Amino acid sequence: MRDLSLHAAILSYSGAYSGQRCVGEDRVGSGTGSAGKWPTVGECHLCSQHTSAEVMRRFLLLYATQRGQAKAIAEEICEQAGAHGFSADLHCISESDKYDLKMETAPLVMVVSTTGTGDPPDSARKFVKEIHDKTLPANCLAHLQYGLLGLGDSEYTYFCNGGKVIDKRLQQLGARRFYATGHADDCVGLELVVEPWIAGLWAALAEHFRSREGREEMNGALPGAAHVQPGSLQIESQVGLLRLDDARRKDPEGLEPNETNGGQSGAGTEDPEPSLICSVPPLSQASLSVPASPAAYLQVHLEEPPGQEQGQAPATSAGEPVFRVPVSKAVQLTASDAIKTTLLLELDISKTDFSYQPGDAFHVICPNNDSEVQALLQRLQLAEQRDHHVLLQVKADTKKKGAALPRHIPQRCPLQFLFTWCLDIRAVPKKAFVRVLVDYTSEGPERRRLLELCSKQGAADYSRFVRDARVCLLDLLCAFPSCQPPLDVLLEHLPKLQPRPYSCASSSLSHPDKLRFIFNIVEFLSHTPAAVTLRKGLCTGWLAGLVASSLQPDSQASPADGGTAPAPEISISPRAASSFHLPEDPSAPVIMVGPGTGIAPFIGFLHHREKLQEQQPDGSFGAMWLFFGCRHKERDYLFREELGHFLERGVLTHLKVCFSRDAPLSGEKAPVKYVQDALRLHGQQVARVLLREKGCIYVCGDAKNMASDVNDSLVEIISKELGVDKLEAMRTLATLKEEKRYLQDIWS
């Protein structure tokens, strides 16, 4: 299972429109979750702008998050609520003791993320189980009206499925939508849906309360709201918007219109090409709708270290055990001229209580690139204080509702440790972060360009020059030299450096006290104004450098002997249990589809099955099919000798390999190129295994292309073999998924 859909994505989100709040909002909007404990009519004396009816406009706001995205968006909704005359009762969906949907009379707003290949987040598992209780009456939530925002990644087959599962079940239980469901796509940018969805929410809530309380009373409470159509995603909140009109007046920097073109000036010159630091008309001449700067909430002190520094363990999520283990073996599986370099690492877990099953995944805790950390500290003028301890506290006068110290930042840790192990300095800055950077940028043209990048009008430029170009904080600071943000701002907006998940490529039966995994050394281009930079993946680049001196050229090599250098060590932690395991009944046939490094868990499956067959010579074991694909037979055919061994032993009964870049030999028929083509070629047998023999199919690898193509091939196979239409074939495939006989471990 992968959460990289989140991919680097899966980063802390802060919405675009931060509303301005009244003085009394914190007291009005900080209820305990019980409707009866909220201020009643006439109790609000904090703000003369609030009428008694407005105090009662409470809604329940629940979020279901895996890595903080949904929580941050829900907090943004909560921040804006007061400025629109509402009070948000905010809770994690797992806090079932603080709300009760069966008794809830207020409207419900939900923000739900998706994890894995389409599952609700871990925090929502209990909630989902409870609402799917078959003993619940069909109309038990008929009193409830709700609006739901789902988060997902369209590179995965089951897009936004976490939200869709809850949405569908609420309706089955009688609940009705007061606002259209939104589906935000991390593949193209969550903000493209999140921002207009939040902007339209207030009109939908206003209409809901107007319908319930009477049009006349509601019109008096919210002047002008009666003319706004609820559910429209085009409604733009005017609260906190900074209007920049450069047509007939100066911008905030006092620049005339012809000076607000990203630093380009001079009559008669050609318009430059747009870039990260430069815009062109019409954007460079446009009035901008820009979000207000998010409320600051952290206060940071740097304290000189008291004396000898103690070694500090890498940061990880609270409650996760961390094991420091040596790398006992490192092997390069691909030829030197392969397009991608694939490495196998074997870890010695003999001195830990780390346990796993074939098909499980685990986390590798990796640091940021040291040269990037040093460059960032230098740019921030903090290099001389790299060993100082960081002390954090929440500002006493903060306007941020529910402000709390970030859990991923340990108190009194050295500044360099913080930037190395705790903060994701490569994260693409969200628009809210860009907006904050404007406030610490002194040059007018640079300020204007940053404002464009975080504005509604500059959404396309943000996507092209920031998001798609994988620009990080250091890139932005180098591109805008007059930007000098303080440390507290960075700690408020830089997300947690997430551990990286990898599939186990071994079995504890076959490799006692060992844990193997494989990976490609990722390389990608980062586009900055100065140059196009080739960067290595954060974790894979670090691992490759760590084992470079002990790397062996092929999988048959034995560990080096006689070396004096200690084995490199890495920190790992277990991942939540998944269902990507061999069937409990070993007689059930299995189809495995895993091109490239997607073969990893299946190597563990095969080692495990081999040992089981040795231990149970009279046992009944089902057929095992493997569909594997790579570019070249002689360059990147991973585990070629091991797969041959499994075939000879009868552990692997059918092996179908595709080579996408190898040309057919003279006189030969062109072979199939991809695993999805091979599946169709053997469609009759695949259908027999899945539909008649009650077998299981496992898919591991790339979500963007391979997994969706495999899914389409399976639909085609089922449609053809059963003689049904595509829709019925899709239903059959969905049934296989529900029965845990169609399982995916995919990533983007």
Side-chain angles (χ1 to χ4, degrees):
M1 299 275 289
R2 293 291 191 275
D3 287 324
L4 298 182
S5 69
L6 292 165
H7 185 108
I10 281 156
L11 306 172
S12 178
Y13 179 93
S14 185
Y17 299 118
S18 294
Q20 312 243 338
R21 303 182 302 159
C22 79
V23 178
E25 182 187 342
D26 285 338
R27 287 173 61 186
V28 174
S30 56
T32 62
S34 172
K37 296 182 181 180
W38 280 75
T40 57
V41 175
E43 285 186 359
C44 182
H45 306 291
L46 302 173
C47 178
S48 59
Q49 296 176 350
H50 277 155
T51 67
S52 298
E54 283 179 309
V55 176
M56 294 301 293
R57 290 197 194 95
R58 164 190 170 273
F59 65 93
L60 177 62
L61 177 56
L62 301 180
Y63 63 86
T65 193
Q66 188 70 19
R67 294 194 174 184
Q69 295 270 45
K71 179 182 179 182
I73 293 170
E75 288 175 343
E76 176 64 21
I77 294 172
C78 190
E79 287 278 331
Q80 292 192 34
H84 292 272
F86 303 104
S87 294
D89 189 357
L90 175 65
H91 301 293
C92 177
I93 200 170
S94 63
E95 299 174 321
S96 56
D97 59 321
K98 297 181 179 180
Y99 66 91
D100 185 356
L101 295 189
K102 293 180 181 178
M103 303 296 293
E104 187 61 66
T105 58
L108 168 67
V109 176
M110 304 184 76
V111 185
V112 182
S113 66
T114 299
T115 189
T117 58
D119 301 316
D122 294 342
S123 60
R125 286 183 178 180
K126 181 181 177 182
F127 178 88
V128 171
K129 182 178 180 181
E130 288 176 349
I131 64 175
H132 279 85
D133 184 346
K134 294 182 179 179
T135 64
L136 290 175
N139 63 345
C140 66
L141 296 181
H143 60 283
L144 190 67
Q145 295 197 46
Y146 73 97
L148 187 145
L149 175 62
L151 312 181
D153 187 328
S154 60
E155 290 186 349
Y156 291 79
T157 305
Y158 300 97
F159 171 60
C160 279
N161 200 55
K164 290 177 180 178
V165 166
I166 294 175
D167 195 6
K168 179 180 179 180
R169 185 55 179 162
L170 289 180
Q171 291 192 73
Q172 290 174 344
L173 295 176
R176 294 166 294 157
R177 297 192 192 103
F178 74 86
Y179 186 40
T181 297
H183 297 129
D185 186 359
D186 195 44
C187 181
V188 297
L190 293 174
E191 67 278 356
L192 296 180
V193 169
V194 171
E195 292 175 10
W197 194 90
I198 294 176
L201 173 64
W202 313 119
L205 281 168
E207 175 65 19
H208 168 82
F209 283 107
R210 183 163 56 247
S211 299
R212 193 175 74 176
E213 300 173 7
R215 182 177 297 273
E216 182 176 348
E217 178 184 350
M218 198 61 180
N219 284 350
L222 285 179
H227 304 293
V228 184
Q229 292 298 317
S232 170
L233 297 185
Q234 303 304 316
I235 299 171
E236 179 182 345
S237 170
Q238 296 302 309
V239 179
L241 293 188
L242 177 61
R243 300 297 301 179
L244 301 181
D245 185 354
D246 58 357
R248 290 189 174 270
R249 56 190 171 92
K250 297 180 179 181
D251 75 357
E253 300 310 310
L255 299 174
E256 295 296 340
N258 61 4
E259 294 179 295
T260 58
N261 59 357
Q264 303 294 326
S265 61
T269 58
E270 282 189 26
D271 285 335
E273 287 293 315
S275 68
L276 176 64
I277 61 175
C278 174
S279 64
V280 298
L283 179 59
S284 63
Q285 299 173 356
S287 299
L288 302 178
S289 297
V290 180
S293 217
Y297 67 96
L298 286 182
Q299 190 169 331
V300 183
H301 299 282
L302 292 179
E303 184 180 81
E304 289 192 36
Q308 187 69 27
E309 285 297 303
Q310 298 293 322
Q312 202 153 359
T316 185
S317 298
E320 288 183 356
V322 177
F323 303 95
R324 187 78 176 165
V325 296
V327 178
S328 56
K329 189 175 182 179
V331 177
Q332 181 169 322
L333 300 180
T334 49
S336 58
D337 59 348
I339 294 175
K340 292 184 178 180
T341 300
T342 306
L343 303 185
L344 176 147
L345 298 192
E346 180 181 86
L347 308 178
D348 182 355
I349 57 173
S350 59
K351 296 181 180 180
T352 73
D353 59 358
F354 186 95
S355 61
Y356 69 96
Q357 295 183 54
D360 280 346
F362 66 99
H363 281 133
V364 171
I365 302 167
C366 67
N368 284 308
N369 181 278
D370 185 62
S371 64
E372 294 174 23
V373 171
Q374 303 309 325
L376 183 57
L377 290 174
Q378 193 72 37
R379 173 62 180 80
L380 295 169
Q381 301 177 13
L382 293 170
E384 299 300 320
Q385 298 166 289
R386 59 168 57 91
D387 294 326
H388 282 47
H389 288 183
V390 178
L391 281 72
L392 287 183
Q393 63 185 76
V394 175
K395 287 185 175 182
D397 60 347
T398 181
K399 302 300 182 184
K400 180 177 174 64
K401 201 169 186 178
L405 296 179
R407 293 185 178 181
H408 59 278
I409 301 179
Q411 282 282 28
R412 297 186 179 276
C413 71
L415 185 61
Q416 180 162 297
F417 176 88
L418 180 62
F419 277 95
T420 302
W421 290 100
C422 306
L423 303 174
D424 188 355
I425 64 174
R426 275 200 187 174
V428 175
K430 298 294 184 183
K431 284 187 177 182
F433 194 1
V434 177
R435 174 62 187 90
V436 172
L437 294 178
V438 174
D439 297 336
Y440 301 96
T441 304
S442 58
E443 293 295 325
E446 291 182 16
R447 284 175 62 91
R448 165 70 192 199
R449 183 53 175 156
L450 289 172
L451 285 167
E452 289 172 350
L453 291 172
C454 66
S455 71
K456 179 180 179 181
Q457 292 76 10
D461 273 24
Y462 173 84
S463 295
R464 178 181 176 186
F465 299 117
V466 180
R467 188 178 189 278
D468 296 345
R470 300 189 183 188
V471 164
C472 63
L473 173 63
L474 182 59
D475 296 330
L476 274 186
L477 295 180
C478 291
F480 299 91
S482 73
C483 182
Q484 194 65 36
L487 181 59
D488 52 7
V489 165
L490 304 186
L491 302 193
E492 288 175 356
H493 290 274
L494 282 172
K496 175 187 175 184
L497 179 58
Q498 298 285 353
R500 270 44 176 182
Y502 292 94
S503 296
C504 302
S506 54
S507 164
S508 55
L509 287 182
S510 179
H511 300 89
D513 297 328
K514 303 294 182 184
L515 171 61
R516 291 183 169 187
F517 68 104
I518 66 174
F519 59 90
N520 290 328
I521 301 177
V522 176
E523 294 182 328
F524 62 94
L525 296 177
S526 180
H527 300 264
T528 63
V532 177
T533 307
L534 181 65
R535 286 178 174 155
K536 281 186 168 63
L538 191 63
C539 191
T540 62
W542 172 67
L543 288 172
L546 201 65
V547 302
S549 61
S550 58
L551 195 62
Q552 301 166 25
D554 62 78
S555 60
Q556 300 307 307
S558 58
D561 295 322
T564 56
E569 293 186 338
I570 67 173
S571 294
I572 64 172
S573 63
R575 270 191 103 213
S578 73
S579 56
F580 201 83
H581 298 143
L582 284 166
E584 293 183 7
D585 179 5
S587 66
V590 167
I591 296 173
M592 303 169 286
V593 183
T597 55
I599 196 175
F602 305 135
I603 294 298
F605 282 7
L606 292 167
H607 277 296
H608 195 75
R609 177 60 65 86
E610 181 180 38
K611 284 298 179 182
L612 287 179
Q613 290 184 193
E614 289 176 2
Q615 295 171 0
Q616 305 170 31
D618 298 325
S620 175
F621 296 93
M624 298 193 80
W625 292 68
L626 174 62
F627 291 85
F628 173 69
C630 59
R631 290 179 177 84
H632 301 283
K633 184 176 182 179
E634 302 302 329
R635 299 181 191 175
D636 50 10
Y637 188 166
L638 307 181
F639 299 104
R640 183 175 178 178
E641 294 188 17
E642 282 192 48
L643 293 176
H645 165 78
F646 290 132
L647 273 175
E648 290 177 6
R649 295 289 305 273
V651 177
L652 182 60
T653 49
H654 302 86
L655 176 62
K656 309 299 176 184
V657 186
C658 314
F659 307 105
S660 62
R661 305 287 177 87
D662 281 345
L665 297 175
S666 179
E668 280 191 354
K669 181 181 178 182
V672 293
K673 285 189 172 185
Y674 304 108
V675 289
Q676 59 266 27
D677 303 323
L679 282 169
R680 282 195 295 268
L681 186 64
H682 300 277
Q684 194 171 17
Q685 297 98 312
V686 168
R688 184 187 70 243
V689 168
L690 296 179
L691 304 178
R692 297 182 185 176
E693 300 175 5
K694 301 298 182 182
C696 302
I697 183 166
Y698 301 82
V699 181
C700 184
D702 167 50
K704 185 175 182 180
N705 298 310
M706 182 277 299
S708 60
D709 289 342
V710 165
N711 190 81
D712 291 344
S713 293
L714 292 173
V715 170
E716 183 180 324
I717 289 168
I718 293 171
S719 176
K720 179 180 178 181
E721 297 303 322
L722 290 184
V724 297
D725 60 22
K726 182 179 178 180
L727 183 60
E728 184 60 32
M730 292 172 68
R731 290 196 185 101
T732 301
L733 205 56
T735 300
L736 292 179
K737 185 175 186 295
E738 290 174 2
E739 295 174 350
K740 304 295 183 184
R741 293 200 293 121
Y742 175 23
L743 296 156
Q744 295 176 302
D745 179 4
I746 57 179
W747 60 89
S748 57

